[in-house]
Amino acid sequence: MKSVFLIVGATALALCASSVSAQQTVSLSAGFVPDPVTFEVVSGGSNDASDLGGSCVGAIASSPDVVVNYRSNGGPLSFGVYSDGDTTLVINGPDGRYYCNDDAQGLNPGFGWDSAPSGRYDIWVGAIGRPVSSTLVVTEGSVFGD
């Protein structure tokens, strides 16, 4: 699994500034039911995630596809994407860092915390190539069943 976290840079600040108009927003607390929670999104956008640096790749939207406001009890929290295309995942975590993943399982990205902090998670589902309908999964378990 290729993953990276980044300190906020100029491009990241531009994405943060536009994050107020997310497509979908949800507030979750540890132990949420049902688990997992899923969101239907279309991957891609007009911004190049590689401008964030590290292993961030794919085309992403200006605003996050989903914002998760999470109240933690110190347990795990994971995000993953299922689609019929090549997708990537960019998460701006509560610590202000960007976490990126491509191809955690096949062409599906995923990322998780063993001890997730409370706060706001801005999530972009990126596209490598053409945009595709995708399902973003948020769970306190394992996204890909491992």
Side-chain angles (χ1 to χ4, degrees):
M1 177 188 317
K2 297 178 274 182
S3 301
V4 69
F5 66 92
L6 304 168
I7 304 296
V8 175
T11 301
L13 288 175
L15 288 174
C16 281
S18 64
S19 68
V20 295
S21 59
Q23 298 295 318
Q24 301 174 69
T25 301
V26 66
S27 293
L28 299 172
S29 294
F32 59 86
V33 176
D35 183 355
V37 174
T38 61
F39 302 90
E40 299 305 313
V41 301
V42 175
S43 67
S46 59
N47 294 290
D48 187 349
S50 66
D51 289 344
L52 296 170
S55 65
C56 296
V57 295
I60 59 174
S62 297
S63 300
D65 296 300
V66 176
V67 171
V68 175
N69 295 302
Y70 182 65
R71 189 169 0 127
S72 178
N73 68 357
L77 184 66
S78 298
F79 300 88
V81 178
Y82 290 93
S83 74
D84 290 331
D86 193 357
T87 55
T88 66
L89 186 61
V90 174
I91 301 171
N92 181 16
D95 58 4
R97 293 181 175 174
Y98 280 80
Y99 299 84
C100 300
N101 182 263
D102 182 22
D103 303 339
Q105 183 181 68
L107 297 178
N108 295 316
F111 194 87
W113 285 261
D114 291 331
S115 180
S118 291
R120 179 179 166 137
Y121 293 79
D122 295 326
I123 305 150
W124 289 263
V125 177
I128 305 278
R130 67 178 177 81
V132 294
S133 294
S134 306
T135 302
L136 172 68
V137 176
V138 181
T139 182
E140 291 180 312
S142 174
V143 173
F144 299 119
D146 39 303

